[in-house]
Amino acid sequence: MPITAADIYALAPYAKTLGVEFGRLKAGSVEARLPHAVALSTGGGAMHGGALMGLADVAAAVCAALNGGEGAVPVPATMESSTHFLRPVLGAAAFAMSRPLHVGRSTVTIEVDIHDDQKRLCTRVTQLVALKRPR
């Protein structure tokens, strides 16, 4: 069953609150976009690192859930996250692409690359996400 942005917003309202927009929603790759907003910026107009980490966490959680196997959609829970800020995001939006590095029975390791609108790599995040089955 395909998942939609509306499904994600219903299951994880923070994604909508943050302003995350979704493109591709496939097990092998999730694409998400976070438009620049003054409320999400820091000194010099760069997008705040916390906003970028929020974007990465949402994209990783969706990717992990899509890799959860058959049956009910699992509830993702981030267990560990490592973020490398390589350059500021200064443009109109941040673009995240998440992909699974390893899919286990109850965890998924996800890598998320965040680019600016000039396609420069700005942030790389690696997460270990637990998959909890709803009761």
Side-chain angles (χ1 to χ4, degrees), residues 13-106:
Y14 176 71
K16 187 171 186 174
T17 298
L18 185 59
V20 177
E21 301 168 350
F22 294 96
R24 179 182 305 161
L25 292 167
K26 303 287 183 191
S29 172
V30 169
E31 294 178 357
R33 175 182 184 272
L34 182 61
H36 188 278
V38 173
L40 299 178
S41 63
T42 187
M47 198 170 284
H48 190 279
L52 297 172
M53 291 170 70
L55 170 63
D57 192 56
V58 167
V62 172
C63 189
L66 290 172
N67 281 279
E70 298 298 318
V73 175
V75 178
T78 304
M79 297 172 61
E80 182 178 304
S81 185
S82 175
T83 304
H84 299 275
F85 296 106
L86 307 172
R87 69 178 340 118
V89 176
L90 294 167
F95 300 87
M97 200 274 287
S98 62
R99 61 196 163 279
L101 296 177
H102 174 76
V103 178
R105 284 180 290 164
S106 61

